[in-house]
Amino acid sequence: IMTKKLAASILCLALAFSLAGCGIFRGAAPENTPAVPDDFSLRFSWWYDETQKNILDTQTGSIQKDLASDGTASAELRPEPDFLQRLYELVCKYRLTDIDREMTSQELADDKSKAVSMIPLEHYEISVTLNGRSLLICGDQTAVYHMTSDEDAANFINAVTSVKKAVTELPEWTALPPANGGYD
């Protein structure tokens, strides 16, 4: 019983750290992050309904917002160099180029019978191109339950939280209509 209480306490603490943006396994922040590679681009999407994704795409210069019962709205995005630098630093800080598997509870659970399920379930995709290499990391919010036991899960959730915050603070994003009756 004591072990279950301790495990529950650790899980709650990990969730609190995640929501506060203070992940347990944060990679050491690079002292001198190199300049953004010329071919750097990032596409980040998150959704509850796959037909209505929220999307930031620095390569195509666009953002899309899920308006829930009102469909989606899009806008042109001309990312400033400091915004691209910030995104690049997040990719480096959270070592996204080292993650080579899906970030879902089903994938992360050692014992597949203990995989976590949630409803509604928010899904994520992070696609990065840099230095002639492209990668795609897919996952969902159940990865938060593995943050204390898996460094990749912690880095993924911290990256999702940080990039999502950066996107939703963009003037182009805030100028889009609010979601009507959904999750924002």
Side-chain angles (χ1 to χ4, degrees):
I1 287 181
M2 184 61 112
T3 305
K4 287 183 180 179
K5 287 182 179 179
L6 180 60
S9 296
I10 290 171
L11 181 60
C12 289
L13 183 61
L15 183 58
F17 274 117
S18 169
L19 294 174
C22 303
I24 302 222
F25 287 109
R26 278 194 171 175
E31 289 184 22
N32 293 317
T33 304
V36 177
D38 290 337
D39 68 341
F40 175 74
S41 66
L42 185 134
R43 178 183 164 97
F44 172 61
S45 55
W46 71 101
W47 67 93
Y48 290 98
D49 176 350
E50 190 168 10
T51 65
Q52 292 185 213
K53 294 181 179 182
N54 296 293
I55 303 170
L56 162 79
D57 192 331
T58 64
Q59 184 174 14
T60 63
S62 63
I63 58 171
Q64 176 178 293
K65 184 176 185 180
D66 173 12
L67 302 179
S69 61
D70 293 336
T72 60
S74 300
E76 184 178 348
L77 173 71
R78 291 192 178 131
E80 298 289 329
D82 61 330
F83 182 71
L84 291 175
Q85 181 71 39
R86 181 176 171 195
L87 293 176
Y88 179 65
E89 288 173 3
L90 290 172
V91 168
C92 295
K93 179 178 186 177
Y94 296 117
R95 302 180 187 141
L96 295 182
T97 59
D98 295 339
I99 298 175
D100 61 357
R101 59 192 165 133
E102 199 171 274
M103 295 286 106
T104 62
S105 186
Q106 186 64 34
E107 179 67 27
L108 296 166
D110 292 331
D111 178 354
K112 300 302 180 205
S113 69
K114 295 185 179 182
V116 177
S117 179
M118 301 171 80
I119 295 178
L121 180 61
E122 190 169 54
H123 299 270
Y124 314 108
E125 288 180 351
I126 302 173
S127 177
V128 178
T129 300
L130 67 135
N131 300 322
R133 181 177 171 216
S134 294
L135 64 104
L136 173 65
I137 307 167
C138 300
D140 62 43
Q141 71 190 100
T142 63
V144 74
Y145 292 103
H146 301 278
M147 290 179 68
T148 59
S149 61
D150 190 294
E151 185 174 4
D152 285 348
N155 283 334
F156 176 72
I157 290 297
N158 284 319
V160 162
T161 302
S162 298
V163 174
K164 189 176 182 181
K165 182 177 186 315
V167 172
T168 58
E169 291 175 346
L170 286 169
E172 294 88 348
W173 179 270
T174 58
L176 292 172
N180 183 13
Y183 306 96
D184 201 18

